[in-house]
Each structure stands twice: as structure tokens, then as C-alpha cells.
Amino acid sequence: MANNTLTQPVPEGLAERAALLGSATETLTEDQARSFIAEQLAGYDFDDKNVCVVIPDGTRSGPHGLMIQAAYDAIADRASKITILIALGTHADMSVEAIEKLVEAPLDRFPKAEFVNHDWHNPDAIATLGTVPAEEIERLTKGLLTDRPMDVQINKLCAEADVNLVIGPVFPHEVVGFSGGNKYFFPGCSVHDVIDISHWVGALITASDIIGTLGITPVRQLIDTASDMIPAEKMAITYVATTGDDHSTNLHTVAFGDTKSAWAANAKVAAQTHIKYVDAPYPRIVSKVPEMYEDLWTGAKGVYKMEPVCADGGEIIVYAPHITEISEMHPGIGTIGYHCIEYFTKQWDKFKDHPWGEIAHSTHVRGLGSYDPETGVETLRCRITLASQVPPEVCEHYNLGYANPDELPWEEFAADPETLIVEHAGEILHRLASDRPE
């Protein structure tokens, strides 16, 4: 599993600093969650404060509406100002209709709040907090980067608030180990330097190695260091929820604390609920990607979370008939295509000036492999086939396989014990039982 030489244990007592309701084996009711959030926020000083509530975008599953509504209700009569900032990272803006679907209510249900998309393209919306020197980056990354400082920039709304309240789920994540907590600031509300450096460090470790790592990974170290530079108080409501076979949401836990402790409390839970161990790898995996992933940039979670259990020489079919493009927001992926990490590191002079976040995404999708610079031959561990509305010639250009989504042999797949079909792919990480931590 994880490269433990690069990952530090979660500090003793950190998770226990947060208040936690529920467990990995429980299912909470909405009333239980609302009461817990109301009680916890009642004990925190939001009075006359400018509060920036940082929430996920539509690419994260979970009972977001319940959590956001409960938090708003708990502080609406106390805070002097409430801004609800959508942590897009570099995803596309959400429309009013999409936001209302996310929060499960019309926006006028939140009369005191202003909803804002993180405006990552706009320099006027960004505050510069300082620079982490190259020497510190080298220390934090255990030598993976040695000559690159990191400019720390974030949405001004976070920098100028009295309190930042992060509300979001915790999942296994291909860049940081487990998502949540300070990750909602960096990359959620930041711009390219922190995004590029953190994602590149994750790529150097490899998504297969870092995803589902329960500990303080080098990437978590980077984003925690950047978050420490935010002058505002930083609190979080984190939660762990799974999707049932009937597409219902099962809420297991809710935590409240500072952004580090609330993350740590629910990372421990997500390690139990969101990692499925299988005895042997599968030669073929069909990832059925839900419609909340609108392109391959976001829908690639159907690859990340399945690649660890794909057999050598096997195939992952990303079944996403609703997807029509690779990435509108990141056309630079079309320049480089999808390749393994060695393809880039062994030709670094050729690629070093390309946005590192896009290179990292490329390697996450394509998975493990090797590249021989003398012959120009790239050998990839498994095949990635896209079954979507993206035409075959585009798939070939990006170094992906193509399948017609209307012609997949579902009966054959279902009858084949060596084919794994995954519903709602992108949520549960699959790993081999031999990789289970002791």
C-alpha cells in the first residue's frame, strides 16, 4: 500500500480533539445529525463574525444539503456576514440550478448568505499569503522536490473572514491520501502554484501508492503548511457517508473541530467504510461512472479507485455514456495525453513548463508503467478504455482505448467471474487483501 517511509502517522490525540457522532457501522438519522451540528456550533463563537463557509462542488457525493442547511441554521442569527464559497479547485463554475441541487433547497432558503463560486481565473479574487521556501518544500516532501518554492495564494474571502467553516466529506483520495479538512482550502480555494506542486508530489509518489493512505502524507504536509498561513480561524464539519445499492445515502459519522482534527477523526472512519478489499486482481473492471462527473477530468475517479485491483495486462472500462468531452477546463491535457509517470520524468526538459497539475492528472488516469527514452517505448500496466460519447479518434489522441457505450456485452460481463462491475464508481476504493494494513 502506502509508501510509509514518506508518510507520518497521524499525531497521537489529534482525531480525539474533534467531537464525533456515529461510527463506521452506524447509520445516523437526519435529526441526529442536525442536533449534533446545532449543539457543536452553539458552543463556538460565531457572534458578530464574518464567516466564510467552504463547501464542496457537485463532484462529491454525500448529504451536503443536510450538513449545509444545519450549519447555516445554527449560525444565521449570530454571524454578521455569511459567504458560502464553493471550493471548485479548477473545476467549472456551478450554475444556480446546480447549486440548488447540491444544497437541496432554493437559494432563498439562505437569506443571510451569499453563494460564490471560487473564481480561480480572476487575480482580483485572490490573496497572496506568502511563500514557502524551497528548503522547506524539500523537507516536507522528503526530498521529492528540491529546488521549487511554493507561492501560497487563496481566495480573498477565506483570507478576509474571521472564521472559515469547512463543510465536506472525507474519502480516499488519489493525491493526498484522504480528502477533507484543509484540502478544501488547498487546492479547493487556491490557484495554480499550490495545486501544481501538491498534485505533482502526489504523482511522483503515484496515485496507486498514496490513495487511501491513512496518515500525514507529504501532500497533506504541504496543504497543512499552506493552510497555517491563513489568518482566519479554521473549523470544519466533516462527514462520512456511503451510497446504497438503491442510491440512498447512508450517513455514518459527523465530526466537528478544527480542520486538522475533524479531518483526522473521519479519515479513520473512511478507512473502514470506503476501502473494499478483494482477494485477487481482476483482468477486467467496468466502472459505471455516475452523472455527477461531467467529464473525464472528474470522472477519472472511476479509474483511480479501481486500478489497484486491476490485473497486470488487464483493462478498466470507464462506462460513462453521458460524458461528451475529456475536459473543457483543461484543454492542455490534449497536448500531452495520458501517460505513466516515467513518460514525463524521463523527458522532463520537454514537459517541465507544462502545468504540473495536468501532468499529474495524466499519470493518475493512466496508472503505473515504464518508459524507455532510448526507444520511445511506453509500457503500461493496464489498458484504460473510455465508453462514452467521446469519439474513437479523440480517445486515440489522448492515448486511451475506445468502446461504444451502446454495444457493451453486459450479459457476458455479468456471467464472467473475472469481470468486476462497479456501480457508482469513484466512491469506494478497491484494494487487494494482501495490501491491507496490519
Side-chain angles (χ1 to χ4, degrees):
M1 256 188 82
N3 189 335
N4 291 319
T5 62
L6 297 177
T7 297
Q8 299 179 6
V10 173
E12 186 174 353
L14 177 61
E16 289 70 27
R17 290 207 318 246
L20 179 70
L21 176 69
S23 70
T25 58
E26 294 180 61
T27 299
L28 302 175
T29 67
E30 290 193 6
D31 286 345
Q32 285 176 307
R34 286 183 187 276
S35 296
F36 174 80
I37 291 171
E39 178 183 354
Q40 294 302 315
L41 298 192
Y44 192 82
D45 183 14
F46 291 99
D47 296 346
D48 300 318
K49 299 287 183 68
N50 172 10
V51 181
C52 182
V53 180
V54 181
I55 66 171
D57 67 5
T59 65
R60 303 293 185 265
S61 61
H64 312 312
L66 167 64
M67 300 296 164
I68 295 164
Q69 290 179 31
Y72 172 83
D73 292 344
I75 66 174
D77 292 335
R78 300 163 59 197
S80 61
K81 179 182 180 181
I82 300 174
T83 304
I84 300 179
L85 178 62
I86 303 168
L88 294 173
T90 57
H91 296 171
D93 284 1
M94 294 186 70
S95 65
V96 170
E97 293 76 16
I99 297 171
E100 290 182 336
K101 181 179 179 181
L102 177 76
V103 301
E104 299 178 8
L107 297 193
D108 60 13
R109 188 215 180 276
F110 310 88
K112 196 170 182 178
E114 178 186 10
F115 283 81
V116 179
N117 283 296
H118 169 50
D119 195 0
W120 56 277
H121 329 251
N122 179 11
D124 292 337
I126 305 301
T128 298
L129 303 180
T131 300
V132 180
E135 296 79 10
E136 180 66 359
I137 297 297
E138 180 176 359
R139 186 187 71 83
L140 294 172
T141 64
K142 306 295 191 295
L144 290 174
L145 288 183
T146 59
D147 59 356
R148 174 76 183 262
M150 183 172 74
D151 292 330
V152 178
Q153 296 175 300
I154 196 165
N155 193 294
K156 284 182 178 178
L157 294 167
C158 296
E160 296 172 355
D162 298 314
V163 181
N164 284 301
L165 177 62
V166 171
I167 302 176
V170 177
F171 290 103
H173 193 271
E174 63 278 1
V175 174
V176 68
F178 276 88
S179 66
N182 284 330
K183 187 179 179 298
Y184 275 80
F185 299 126
F186 302 100
C189 297
S190 61
V191 291
H192 277 295
D193 210 38
V194 176
I195 294 174
D196 284 348
I197 289 176
S198 60
H199 281 65
W200 182 238
V201 170
L204 290 171
I205 298 171
T206 74
S208 297
D209 207 11
I210 203 170
I211 191 168
T213 297
L214 187 57
I216 308 297
T217 64
V219 181
R220 176 66 60 176
Q221 289 261 58
L222 288 172
I223 65 176
D224 281 350
T225 298
S227 297
D228 287 343
M229 299 171 71
I230 301 172
E233 297 176 59
K234 297 173 286 293
M235 306 302 291
I237 296 168
T238 65
Y239 42 98
V240 174
T242 52
T243 302
D245 292 339
D246 60 353
H247 299 287
S248 61
T249 297
N250 302 310
L251 176 63
H252 301 290
T253 52
V254 186
F256 174 73
D258 61 76
T259 48
K260 293 179 182 179
S261 64
W263 165 78
N266 265 327
K268 292 171 64 175
V269 176
Q272 300 174 64
T273 58
H274 280 74
I275 303 179
K276 181 178 181 178
Y277 292 95
V278 301
D279 291 332
Y282 287 85
R284 181 168 54 199
I285 299 170
V286 184
S287 287
K288 299 177 75 173
V289 170
E291 292 189 5
M292 69 177 183
Y293 301 127
E294 297 179 350
D295 58 11
L296 187 61
W297 181 270
T298 55
K301 289 185 183 296
V303 178
Y304 311 148
K305 294 187 177 178
M306 304 310 307
E307 192 267 344
V309 298
C310 185
D312 291 346
E315 179 183 27
I316 299 174
I317 300 172
V318 180
Y319 176 71
H322 61 282
I323 285 180
T324 60
E325 59 189 337
I326 302 296
S327 176
E328 178 185 359
M329 305 306 296
H330 298 276
I333 285 290
T335 303
I336 60 175
Y338 288 108
H339 299 278
C340 69
I341 186 68
E342 283 193 1
Y343 181 87
F344 298 105
T345 57
K346 291 187 174 181
Q347 305 180 87
W348 191 234
D349 285 345
K350 179 179 177 181
F351 294 105
K352 64 183 180 181
D353 295 325
H354 193 93
W356 290 8
E358 291 186 349
I359 301 175
H361 165 77
S362 171
T363 70
H364 295 155
V365 173
R366 213 56 188 86
L368 300 177
S370 61
Y371 177 75
D372 184 343
E374 293 186 2
T375 63
V377 173
E378 182 180 22
T379 304
L380 297 164
R381 194 182 76 81
C382 55
R383 291 171 289 142
I384 309 298
T385 300
L386 184 58
S388 72
Q389 299 305 312
V390 178
E393 62 273 15
V394 175
C395 290
E396 182 180 6
H397 173 75
Y398 280 84
N399 199 28
L400 300 172
Y402 167 83
N404 187 327
D406 298 326
E407 297 178 359
L408 293 181
W410 291 107
E411 291 186 4
E412 175 189 328
F413 290 167
D416 181 8
E418 294 194 322
T419 295
L420 175 63
I421 302 174
V422 181
E423 302 288 340
H424 204 79
E427 183 173 292
I428 302 297
L429 169 64
H430 288 62
R431 280 219 175 262
L432 295 176
S434 58
D435 289 335
R436 187 191 295 268
E438 296 180 1

